[in-house]
Amino acid sequence: MDGYAVCGPGPWQITHHIPATATTTTQLTPGQATTIVTGATVPAGTTAVVPTEHAVRTANHLTQTFRTPARDHIRRAGEECQAGDQLLPAGVIVGPAVLGLAATVGLDRLTVIPQPTVAALITGDELVHQGPSGPGHVRDAIGPMLPTLITQSGARLLQAARGAAPGDSAGVRHLGDSLEELVAGLRASEADLTLVSGSSAAGPADHLRRALAALGAELIVDGVACRPGHPQALARMRDGRLILGLPGNPFAALVAFLTLGVAALQRMRGLPLPELPQIPIPGGVHCHPTNTRLLPVRLTPEGAVPIGHDGSAMLRGPATADALAVVTPGPTKAIAARLLTGMPPWGG
Ligand SMILES: Nc1nc2c(c(=O)[nH]1)N[C@H]1C(S)=C(S)[C@@H](COP(=O)(O)OP(=O)(O)OC[C@H]3O[C@@H](n4cnc5c(N)ncnc54)[C@H](O)[C@@H]3O)O[C@H]1N2
Ligand code: MOO
């Protein structure tokens, strides 16, 4: 508090002036006061600090208009933490307040898990990057989704080589359907996780698995029993970097990123995987007999309502959804599902 450090009940005689940086050896005795600024060390003998707005000063004579309780406006050493206290649990995300707290307690170095880096390679000779698609051409819908998905998942986009192909942006490169280009692109990527879209299946223009074999990468996940998104793949390079194959159909690519991709990034960040809450589906929804279904849903007081437009090439459903329902395989209908929410693009 800016005001007066006082000793005992008023009135007081102002006998000292303490600047902000003083390490004072001043000693107040009853009836004495000193000017003081917020944050300065109070002199020994201080019983309260009278704020300027409660003080009436005439020359060096001081009274107050409002009785300041004893010890008021005095911060004590160790008020916030004692020696040996654990200030933060392991695994906390280093945000602005954590950095400020570390500085407050004089920590110049923190041991942290660095933010994972992610780069994306979009493959497909048919892809165009401006205007509508037409016969033989498909507008790239995955490239525009990825940067925000990546950064909202707590990862950092790695700057891709500049000025390569049309549609390239930070962290997102476009490649033709060529094994050599894909091998070179994967070799050149320095990201902890490299996403490759449009090469996950077994067609003549789908080179991901051949490229992984050429690079000696280990295939950790070779397809997932889910719809859409079943051709997705996760592989590990010899140096530990990960590669995630996103299926070319845009909703399938989104599903693969939100499941395998987000799970990989969470673990790279040292964070646990979230529990998915159960939610009723009013009227039920058809199960797939062997695969988990992921459906865009709207959240209502009654539960999760599927909103359709959920074909693997469609984004209209996901674009207006609140979350994805994760429907366990079964012979008939499901009346409840788990909910994939709380992550981009549904709530960050
Ligand atoms: N014999 C089989 N063929 C396919 C299977 C299968 O199980 N057996 N799975 C199908 C499924 S499901 C998918 S998904 C695709 C995945 O294939 P790729 O990852 O190799 O992707 P593409 O074949 O290149 O593309 C599929 C489809 O998506 C369009 N596409 C690709 N990239 C983009 C983009 N960036 N933006 C918008 N659209 C994109 C592409 O033009 C194709 O229409 O494999 C099936 N085949
Ligand atoms: O991954 Mo595909 O249909 O499941 O688009």
Side-chain angles (χ1 to χ4, degrees), residues 122-123 126-127 138-143 197-201 206 230-231 246-250 252 312:
I122 309 280
T123 72
E126 76 280 25
L127 299 180
V138 173
R139 177 71 190 263
D140 170 27
I142 298 176
S197 77
S199 292
S200 66
D206 304 327
H230 74 88
L246 304 175
N249 282 314
S312 68

Side-chain angles (χ1 to χ4, degrees), residues 2-5 14-19 33-37 40 43 57 62:
D2 297 323
Y4 301 87
I14 300 167
T15 50
H16 303 86
H17 300 278
I18 296 179
T34 172
T35 58
I36 197 151
V37 294
R57 178 178 179 175
L62 178 71

Side-chain angles (χ1 to χ4, degrees), residues 91-106:
V92 76
I93 293 174
V94 180
V98 169
L99 284 177
L101 177 65
T104 301
V105 297

Side-chain angles (χ1 to χ4, degrees), residues 293-310:
R293 292 187 73 194
L294 292 111
L295 297 174
V297 290
R298 193 158 295 137
L299 299 180
T300 71
E302 289 72 43
V305 179
I307 54 178
H309 302 293
D310 53 16

Side-chain angles (χ1 to χ4, degrees), residues 127-279:
L127 299 180
V128 292
H129 307 284
Q130 268 191 325
S133 46
H137 294 300
V138 173
R139 177 71 190 263
D140 170 27
I142 298 176
M145 286 197 283
L146 290 179
T148 312
L149 285 170
I150 291 165
T151 51
Q152 289 189 359
S153 303
R156 189 162 60 83
L157 263 175
L158 205 67
Q159 191 72 28
R162 289 263 102 224
D168 280 5
S169 60
V172 179
R173 283 187 67 191
H174 290 82
L175 305 179
D177 281 321
S178 129
L179 175 63
E180 292 69 33
E181 268 190 65
L182 186 53
V183 169
L186 287 171
R187 227 178 232 134
S189 173
E190 291 175 353
D192 299 316
L193 174 67
T194 302
L195 310 173
V196 178
S197 77
S199 292
S200 66
D206 304 327
H207 300 295
L208 180 62
R209 281 165 177 79
R210 283 187 285 275
L212 294 174
L215 292 163
E218 176 197 1
L219 205 51
I220 309 167
V221 178
D222 188 4
V224 173
C226 69
R227 299 284 160 149
H230 74 88
Q232 60 185 292
L234 186 69
R236 185 166 36 218
M237 300 275 268
R238 287 198 182 117
D239 61 5
R241 284 178 296 139
L242 294 180
I243 296 163
L244 174 60
L246 304 175
N249 282 314
F251 181 33
L254 181 61
V255 161
F257 182 85
L258 292 176
T259 53
L260 267 186
V262 168
L265 290 173
Q266 283 285 107
R267 299 306 292 135
M268 287 160 119
R269 297 170 70 206
L271 298 173
L273 299 182
E275 282 290 322
L276 304 186
Q278 284 274 353
I279 188 159

